Amino acid sequence: EKGTYAHFMLKEIDEQPFVIRNIIQKYQHEDGSTRLDEDIRAAMKDSDRIYIVAAGTSYHAGLVGKQLLERVSGKPTEVHIASEFLYNMPLLSEKPLFVFISQSGETADSRGVLVNVKKQGHRTLTITNVPGSTLSREADYTLHTFAGPEIAVASTKAYTAQIAVLALLAVDVANAAGKTLDFDLLQELAIAANAMESLCNQKDEMEQIARDYLSVTRNAFFIGRTADYFVALEGALKLKEISYIQAEGFAGGELKHGTIALIEDGTPVIALATQEHVNLSIRGNVQEVASRGAATAIISMEGLDQEGDAVVLPRVHELLTPLVSVIPTQLIAYYAALHRGCDVDKPRNLAKSVTVE
Ligand code: M6R
């Protein structure tokens, strides 16, 4: 039910802080620890490499998950687009563990890989929002994202829920390996949930950006570096999916290798700047496009912000910024689609679950 909301997408964007808090509760044990299932822990520990396989927005969550798994737990992790993996399988390590990320748990491209790697005798884990789904039933293990039903075709709360669960998984793997971490993930997730909530209360700002930058344009770019690059990809996918604006996400440093040729007077470029170690570089990239006429808007984070930034996010742990920085991009896509008269919840040519290969 949409309740008072005009669209499911907006309702689902707003639900995100509660989804994160729900995940914290669901995975927290009475003693305050976050141990996941013993079998999953053992399978992760026993593997020498994680292969994340997913499509679309879930693939983008996987990119963030790789960074979390490698940085927090030290476990080598690769991320693959399901439909590519099926026909172009990389050389596998000796003890691979496959992690399928899928909101619906029904994506045929991912299932194709699952069936294939199971045949080869590899172990499989599905992270899904629908525990009884095909991918969940057919994998050895399941982690539930507890986001509640996602109705809008454009995935929002499933993405942030997947990242939160991947973060928990990363910490669990680190704990199992006896690593001591210098942060408390549950606390950091709770801080991120609060930040998400405050952004959901700043909708006017995002509506204004959509109005100013995206009302009439044919194309738009999202740029970022490291974790911000992954969110740039997701922001661009969301925008094209529901507003039909041709949008691309780029790694800031890669622009000069070709794409910058597309920048004209007034081309919208939305930049994400939440990562301290690349803050100067991404701002340099913004300068490069601005001096070629781009209409630039910077989404930064407290402590790294500069005068003139369009949105300043509350400060959160650097590994969890995607949970927060994605929200302005979701809202900008929503309002852009709305202003352009598009069917927000049911964009053309798309289905909620893609059950064909
Ligand atoms: O159900 P899944 O997570 O497996 O779906 C994967 C993609 O089809 C999905 O994320 C798609 O990209 C969304 N419509 C994006 O908003």
Coordinates of all heavy atoms in Angstrom, one line a residue, residues 55-59 101-107 110 135 153-156 162 234 237-238 241 350-354, ligand 1:
A55 N 23.1 -8.5 -10.9 CA 22.7 -7.7 -12.0 C 22.2 -6.4 -11.6 O 21.7 -6.2 -10.5 CB 21.6 -8.4 -12.8
G56 N 22.3 -5.4 -12.4 CA 21.7 -4.0 -12.2 C 22.1 -3.4 -10.9 O 23.3 -3.4 -10.5
T57 N 21.1 -2.9 -10.2 CA 21.4 -2.3 -8.9 C 22.1 -3.2 -7.9 O 22.9 -2.8 -7.1 CB 20.1 -1.8 -8.3 OG1 19.7 -0.6 -9.1 CG2 20.2 -1.3 -6.9
S58 N 21.7 -4.5 -7.9 CA 22.3 -5.5 -7.0 C 23.8 -5.6 -7.3 O 24.6 -5.9 -6.4 CB 21.6 -6.8 -7.1 OG 20.3 -6.6 -6.7
Y59 N 24.2 -5.5 -8.6 CA 25.6 -5.6 -9.0 C 26.3 -4.3 -8.4 O 27.4 -4.5 -7.9 CB 25.7 -5.6 -10.5 CG 27.1 -5.3 -11.0 CD1 28.1 -6.3 -11.0 CD2 27.4 -4.1 -11.6 CE1 29.4 -6.1 -11.4 CE2 28.7 -3.9 -12.1 CZ 29.7 -4.9 -12.0 OH 30.9 -4.6 -12.5
I101 N 23.6 -11.8 -5.2 CA 22.8 -10.7 -4.6 C 21.7 -10.4 -5.5 O 21.8 -10.1 -6.7 CB 23.7 -9.4 -4.4 CG1 25.0 -9.6 -3.7 CG2 22.9 -8.3 -3.7 CD1 25.9 -8.4 -3.6
S102 N 20.5 -10.6 -4.9 CA 19.3 -10.4 -5.7 C 18.1 -10.0 -4.9 O 17.7 -10.7 -4.0 CB 19.0 -11.7 -6.5 OG 17.8 -11.5 -7.2
Q103 N 17.5 -8.8 -5.1 CA 16.3 -8.4 -4.4 C 15.3 -9.4 -4.5 O 14.7 -9.9 -3.6 CB 15.9 -7.0 -5.0 CG 14.8 -6.3 -4.2 CD 13.4 -6.9 -4.4 OE1 12.7 -7.2 -3.4 NE2 13.0 -7.2 -5.6
S104 N 14.9 -9.7 -5.8 CA 13.8 -10.6 -6.0 C 14.1 -12.1 -5.8 O 13.3 -12.9 -5.5 CB 13.3 -10.5 -7.5 OG 14.4 -10.9 -8.4
G105 N 15.4 -12.5 -6.0 CA 15.8 -13.9 -5.9 C 15.3 -14.7 -7.1 O 15.3 -15.9 -7.1
E106 N 14.9 -14.0 -8.1 CA 14.3 -14.7 -9.3 C 15.1 -14.3 -10.6 O 14.7 -14.8 -11.7 CB 12.8 -14.3 -9.5 CG 11.9 -14.6 -8.3 CD 11.9 -16.1 -8.0 OE1 12.2 -17.0 -8.9 OE2 11.5 -16.5 -6.9
T107 N 16.1 -13.5 -10.5 CA 16.8 -13.1 -11.7 C 17.4 -14.2 -12.5 O 18.3 -14.9 -12.0 CB 17.8 -12.0 -11.4 OG1 17.1 -10.9 -10.8 CG2 18.6 -11.5 -12.5
S110 N 21.3 -14.5 -12.9 CA 22.0 -15.0 -11.7 C 21.7 -16.4 -11.5 O 22.6 -17.2 -11.1 CB 21.5 -14.1 -10.5 OG 21.8 -12.8 -10.7
L135 N 16.4 -18.3 -6.0 CA 17.9 -18.3 -5.7 C 18.1 -18.6 -4.3 O 19.2 -19.1 -3.9 CB 18.4 -16.8 -6.0 CG 18.7 -16.5 -7.5 CD1 18.8 -15.0 -7.7 CD2 20.0 -17.2 -7.9
V153 N 9.6 -0.5 -9.7 CA 10.6 -1.2 -10.5 C 12.0 -0.7 -10.2 O 13.0 -1.5 -10.1 CB 10.3 -1.0 -12.0 CG1 11.5 -1.4 -12.9 CG2 9.1 -1.8 -12.4
A154 N 12.2 0.6 -9.9 CA 13.5 1.1 -9.6 C 13.8 0.7 -8.1 O 13.1 1.0 -7.2 CB 13.4 2.7 -9.7
S155 N 14.9 0.0 -8.0 CA 15.3 -0.5 -6.7 C 15.9 0.6 -5.8 O 16.9 1.2 -6.3 CB 16.2 -1.7 -6.9 OG 16.5 -2.3 -5.7
T156 N 15.5 0.7 -4.6 CA 16.1 1.7 -3.7 C 16.4 1.1 -2.4 O 17.6 0.9 -2.1 CB 15.1 2.9 -3.5 OG1 13.8 2.4 -3.1 CG2 14.9 3.7 -4.8
Q162 N 21.0 -4.4 1.0 CA 22.1 -5.3 0.6 C 23.4 -4.8 1.1 O 24.2 -5.6 1.6 CB 22.1 -5.4 -0.9 CG 20.9 -6.1 -1.5 CD 20.7 -5.8 -3.0 OE1 21.3 -4.9 -3.6 NE2 19.8 -6.6 -3.7
E234 N 25.2 3.7 -9.8 CA 23.9 3.5 -9.4 C 23.0 4.7 -9.6 O 21.8 4.6 -10.1 CB 23.9 3.1 -7.9 CG 22.5 3.0 -7.2 CD 21.6 2.0 -7.9 OE1 22.0 1.2 -8.8 OE2 20.4 2.0 -7.5
L237 N 22.1 4.8 -13.3 CA 21.2 3.7 -13.7 C 19.7 4.2 -13.3 O 18.8 4.0 -14.0 CB 21.5 2.4 -13.0 CG 20.5 1.3 -13.2 CD1 20.4 0.9 -14.7 CD2 21.0 0.0 -12.5
K238 N 19.6 4.7 -12.0 CA 18.3 5.1 -11.5 C 17.7 6.2 -12.4 O 16.6 6.1 -12.8 CB 18.5 5.6 -10.1 CG 17.3 5.4 -9.3 CD 17.3 4.1 -8.5 CE 17.7 2.9 -9.3 NZ 17.9 1.7 -8.6
E241 N 16.8 4.8 -15.9 CA 15.7 3.9 -15.8 C 14.3 4.6 -15.7 O 13.3 4.1 -16.3 CB 15.9 3.0 -14.5 CG 15.0 1.9 -14.3 CD 15.4 1.1 -13.0 OE1 16.1 1.7 -12.1 OE2 15.0 -0.1 -13.0
L350 N 10.5 -2.2 -18.8 CA 11.2 -2.9 -17.7 C 10.2 -3.7 -16.8 O 9.0 -3.4 -16.8 CB 11.8 -1.9 -16.7 CG 13.0 -1.1 -17.3 CD1 13.4 0.0 -16.4 CD2 14.2 -2.1 -17.5
A351 N 10.7 -4.8 -16.2 CA 9.8 -5.6 -15.3 C 10.5 -5.6 -13.9 O 11.7 -5.4 -13.9 CB 9.7 -7.0 -15.8
K352 N 9.8 -5.8 -12.9 CA 10.4 -5.8 -11.6 C 11.3 -7.0 -11.4 O 12.4 -6.9 -10.9 CB 9.3 -5.9 -10.5 CG 9.8 -5.8 -9.0 CD 10.6 -4.5 -8.8 CE 11.2 -4.5 -7.4 NZ 12.2 -3.4 -7.3
S353 N 10.9 -8.2 -11.8 CA 11.9 -9.3 -11.8 C 12.2 -9.7 -13.2 O 11.2 -9.9 -14.0 CB 11.6 -10.5 -10.9 OG 10.4 -10.4 -10.4
V354 N 13.4 -9.9 -13.5 CA 13.8 -10.2 -14.9 C 14.0 -11.7 -15.0 O 15.1 -12.2 -14.7 CB 15.0 -9.4 -15.4 CG1 15.3 -9.6 -16.9 CG2 14.7 -7.9 -15.2
Ligands
M6R1 O1 16.0 -8.8 -8.2 P1 17.4 -8.5 -8.6 O2 18.1 -7.7 -7.5 O3 18.2 -9.7 -9.0 O4 17.3 -7.6 -9.9 C1 18.4 -7.1 -10.5 C2 18.1 -6.0 -11.5 O5 17.2 -6.4 -12.5 C3 17.6 -4.8 -10.8 O6 18.4 -4.4 -9.7 C4 17.4 -3.6 -11.7 O7 18.6 -3.1 -12.2 C5 16.6 -2.5 -11.1 N1 15.3 -2.3 -11.8 C6 17.3 -1.2 -10.9 O8 16.6 -0.3 -10.3

